[in-house]
Amino acid sequence: MKLLWMTDLHLMSGGEKHRSGVDPAVRLRVCLDDMLAEHADAARLIITGDLIQLRHTAAYGMLAEALAEVPIPVRLLVGNHDDREALARAFPALQLSNGFVQNAEQLNGYQLIYLDTLADNSMHSGQLSAERLAWLETTLGESQGPALLFMHHPPATVGIPALDKARLNDGDIELARILQRHRHRQPYLLCGHLHRNVSGVWKGTPFTVMTAPYIGFALRMQEQKLVAVDENPGYGVILCNEEGVVIHTNSLRKRVDTLETLSAR
């Protein structure tokens, strides 16, 4: 089974760009074009939140138009820049659980779980409330086989102070306990939010954080503020079979340069 994975699109309404000149709409287009050219056989396209830049809710319409051309079933999650209600209006078929953008499905022997980590207080750090954690416990108990948990905020500290302040820091302790109780399910966490490639093991559970089509954040372990860098846009290709899980990062550049030059004219 092949899955495609994107995160942190940060689309802006009105064709706005990042102050560096990076155009998030162009970056999305480049990634989607490459996905369809190389990986049209994928079973799902999963986008793990920060679909728009904060308060740019009109950009959900741009995303809906772009994804309408994608024949692969898409699963959308929310991050700290997202708005649940505006997202639901733009995507009427979005599956919700008690108002949260989370659901689960069984596919080729794997359980795919999509978690909502948007904080109730609108902070940039993440939250798994008691209600969401109870749903996860029940969901893990209802299935068999390996479990892939997609979520926006990673629970692990990664050594970059500004990012560690904004991790999943509300509900993380109970999340670790739940994953330990269901360790026979071989849970794997797949997260966004960091705009970097990071992987490791958190409290016994492996995790991967995917790079973004949008700007990246530099590896500055002494800085207290985020340092934005214009890195190659990219997306993930996940391969799942009876042996386990392999995750590739596909980094793109040449076509981005051409399109961003054209869009600036």
Side-chain angles (χ1 to χ4, degrees):
M1 175 175 66
K2 178 188 288 185
L3 306 171
L4 298 174
W5 175 20
M6 272 198 299
T7 191
D8 295 273
L9 309 180
H10 289 269
L11 293 173
M12 301 183 193
S13 53
E16 291 187 41
K17 302 177 183 179
H18 185 262
R19 59 183 177 274
S20 65
V22 167
D23 188 331
V26 168
R27 298 292 178 99
L28 171 62
R29 175 182 164 189
V30 167
C31 288
L32 289 177
D33 286 351
D34 194 79
M35 287 177 174
L36 295 180
E38 302 293 335
H39 305 289
D41 58 334
R44 295 287 185 274
L45 166 56
I46 301 153
I47 310 181
T48 49
D50 277 5
L51 309 174
I52 60 167
Q53 187 71 357
L54 189 65
R55 292 184 288 276
H56 284 247
T57 53
Y60 285 131
M62 297 167 51
L63 180 60
E65 290 181 9
L67 295 180
E69 305 299 322
V70 177
I72 302 167
V74 178
R75 300 293 181 263
L76 301 175
L77 284 76
V78 289
N80 47 290
H81 281 254
D82 287 303
D83 181 308
R84 293 188 188 100
E85 293 183 0
L87 177 62
R89 288 194 298 270
F91 293 88
L94 190 70
Q95 294 185 3
L96 303 176
S97 174
N98 293 326
F100 296 111
V101 184
Q102 60 183 32
N103 55 85
E105 61 182 332
Q106 198 75 18
L107 200 64
N108 291 85
Y110 281 76
Q111 188 182 32
L112 310 183
I113 299 175
Y114 311 113
L115 282 169
D116 182 330
T117 60
L118 176 58
D120 293 337
N121 59 9
S122 300
M123 296 294 288
H124 284 296
S125 55
Q127 176 190 43
L128 282 174
S129 57
E131 183 178 1
R132 284 174 271 183
L133 288 164
W135 176 88
L136 174 61
E137 178 95 67
T138 299
T139 299
L140 282 168
E142 290 176 341
S143 185
Q144 300 295 321
L148 302 182
L149 286 75
F150 292 89
M151 54 201 288
H152 184 70
H153 296 82
T157 56
V158 298
I160 302 175
L163 292 177
D164 288 341
K165 291 176 184 177
R167 68 181 180 89
L168 176 73
N169 57 22
D170 184 346
D172 55 318
I173 295 174
E174 184 56 29
L175 172 63
R177 291 171 178 162
I178 290 172
L179 296 178
Q180 280 295 313
R181 288 195 289 272
H182 295 274
R183 58 186 179 273
H184 63 286
R185 299 289 316 281
Q186 303 173 50
Y188 197 128
L189 299 176
L190 301 103
C191 311
H193 192 50
L194 304 187
H195 295 229
R196 298 187 53 79
N197 269 121
V198 184
S199 60
V201 177
W202 174 72
K203 297 183 182 295
T205 299
F207 72 92
T208 294
V209 180
M210 183 50 56
T211 190
Y214 192 47
I215 59 168
F217 292 136
L219 183 61
R220 300 289 179 83
M221 293 187 168
Q222 307 304 319
E223 294 279 353
Q224 296 303 311
K225 295 183 178 180
L226 290 175
V227 178
V229 290
D230 182 8
E231 294 187 341
N232 292 355
Y235 64 89
V237 180
I238 306 169
L239 303 177
C240 307
N241 57 32
E242 65 278 359
E243 295 181 354
V245 178
V246 173
I247 302 175
H248 295 273
T249 300
N250 195 13
S251 181
L252 308 171
R253 180 74 258 173
K254 185 175 181 181
R255 190 155 179 260
V256 172
D257 291 335
T258 302
L259 288 177
E260 287 188 335
T261 299
L262 290 173
S263 69
R265 292 177 180 174

